[in-house]
Amino acid sequence: MGSVLTIRGGIPLRGKVLVRGAKNLVPKAMVASLLGNSPSVLRNVPEIKDVEVVTSLLQLHGVRVTKDPITGDLTMDPSDAKIAMSKDIDAHAGDSRIPILFCGPLMHSIGEAFIPDLGGCKIGDRPIDYHMEVLRNFGAVVDKRPGGISISAPKGLHGAKLTLPYPSVGATEQVLLTAVRADGITELSGAAVEPEIMDLIAVLQKMGAIITVQTDRVIRIEGVRELTGYNHKAISDRNETASWASAALVTEGDIYVEGARQLDLTAFLNTYRKVGGAFDVDDDGIRFYHPGGPLKPLVLETDVHPGFMTDWQQPLVVALTQATGVSIVHETVYENRFGFTEALLRMGASIQVHRECLGSVPCRFGQRNFLHSAVISGPTQLRGTDIDIPDLRGGFSHLIAALAADGVSRVTGIELINRGYERFQDKLEGLGADFDVTEDAPAVAVALA
């Protein structure tokens, strides 16, 4: 049984929302607390599912996690870190992909790690091969077991020279969290350099790590024996900001996003302006609004930072259904991120997905039979329909479409949105959306006499 969101669309969203710490940083900074020999304090922490999962995993490993009831700040004390029971860790299998990042810190603090089978959004293979290969290069022994992976380092962890075939955010985080206390120097080429990566580096540097970010995506880490705790305010969630910005555009609304940072959104803001959206930046946030007049089509390719983020693509596609003309979106980061368009088609959108690279340059999915390019024709009137949410960003994009649609939409699977959007229902209510939430009763089998 799950919650059902019934949305009566067609109302412009107007008002203010607060966006706090980034989903793509906060759980990783929490994991980093295991590396210290004293408590860490993390501020600007959002109330999302991923934070709950990592809190539980830290507690299973003996870390004392306390939350300030007024500020929401988290204090994490790893002084009693211990090995967790496999059956307890198994209870979190499928909840999140964050557990894979526990490997390095656990091996440094308690000598071994067990990682359950990983969950997360179904937007592509997102293999953990990079992670396992990274750990082997550091000297770890990886043993596949039923329900998960056991990892140990009988001879300790040592620095390594690594090159990623693709600038994977997760693999870069794995290297950072493992290398900072490994013996010797680690050099990582082809690293991801997203703002969340740089903020994680800031966390680790506060703990005593020595990390240099060089040109051409090269990160150099000099391992140290010990790290201390940290006190850090997490950067705000640029992906949530972009989602609310797209919601303002699609519903012809006006939303002020408190906490939004211009520097982290440069590529998105340029695209937002090209489509026809408007924004005003001040010291506390960014106001996003539809200035009137038709929206404009465009050709867009997703890319790793500093390019246009893949997480921004899905909400913007909804906006492009209302642009006058033909838009092309080429997804180059995840191979299966256009599955969410099926619901948009049922709502009346005109979208065609293609296996060919329709952007300016071929990408790694071009000859692999993935539907990774989309052609969107507009404007089209969206109509309310029944929607089952497939993943985090696609799901929020469906909400945006339902809020703009003519008629009523019944949305199930909204629990997935709680993974990355703090109190999104409260925020929708504050913006004037017309909706209600009910519990979806399971079907009951009736025996006939």
Side-chain angles (χ1 to χ4, degrees), residues 22-46:
K23 168 188 172 290
N24 289 344
L25 177 276
V26 169
K28 291 75 178 287
M30 293 173 66
V31 173
S33 70
L34 268 169
L35 292 162
N37 58 14
S38 58
S40 293
V41 178
L42 185 59
R43 294 174 283 119
N44 200 30
V45 178

Side-chain angles (χ1 to χ4, degrees), residues 177-342:
L177 292 168
T178 304
V180 287
R181 284 185 54 188
D183 182 27
I185 295 173
T186 296
E187 183 178 281
L188 175 64
S189 300
V193 292
E194 271 69 5
E196 295 81 9
I197 292 288
M198 302 308 295
D199 209 36
L200 180 59
I201 289 174
V203 166
L204 295 169
Q205 189 178 55
K206 288 179 178 180
M207 299 178 76
I210 301 173
I211 305 171
T212 303
V213 181
Q214 301 174 344
T215 58
D216 299 328
R217 298 185 178 273
V218 176
I219 297 178
R220 190 173 185 270
I221 306 111
E222 299 180 35
V224 298
R225 287 187 176 273
E226 289 187 337
L227 295 173
T228 63
Y230 63 80
N231 188 309
H232 187 76
K233 180 181 179 180
I235 61 171
S236 64
D237 197 311
R238 61 197 177 119
N239 296 335
E240 184 179 354
T241 295
S243 295
W244 290 118
S246 295
L249 198 58
V250 176
T251 65
E252 299 186 3
D254 189 330
I255 300 176
Y256 180 81
V257 182
E258 182 181 353
R261 301 198 332 165
Q262 179 184 7
L263 184 62
D264 299 336
L265 290 158
T266 301
F268 177 81
L269 294 175
N270 287 337
T271 301
Y272 196 77
R273 180 167 282 161
K274 289 178 182 178
V275 173
F279 59 88
D280 299 325
V281 181
D282 63 32
D283 291 341
D284 298 319
I286 305 176
R287 173 196 174 200
F288 297 94
Y289 58 99
H290 191 305
L295 298 182
K296 305 167 187 174
L298 82 168
V299 176
L300 176 69
E301 288 181 293
T302 64
D303 204 350
V304 295
H305 185 77
F308 191 92
M309 273 199 71
T310 179
D311 287 321
W312 301 336
Q313 173 258 109
Q314 291 161 299
L316 191 70
V317 164
V318 181
L320 292 176
T321 67
Q322 304 307 303
T324 302
V326 176
S327 297
I328 296 174
V329 177
H330 180 205
E331 171 62 50
T332 74
V333 179
Y334 290 127
E335 68 271 26
N336 190 30
R337 203 147 208 177
F338 283 123
F340 82 104
T341 60
E342 294 177 5

Side-chain angles (χ1 to χ4, degrees), residues 128-149:
I128 62 171
D129 297 352
Y130 286 179
H131 295 268
M132 296 300 100
E133 187 60 29
V134 162
L135 292 167
R136 290 188 183 97
N137 275 275
F138 280 107
V141 176
V142 179
D143 182 21
K144 176 66 177 175
R145 294 182 182 177
I149 301 169

Side-chain angles (χ1 to χ4, degrees), residues 378-397:
T380 54
Q381 176 62 59
L382 299 178
R383 302 180 301 272
T385 190
D386 289 349
I387 302 169
D388 185 43
I389 287 182
D391 60 74
L392 177 61
R393 306 299 171 192
F396 198 87
S397 302

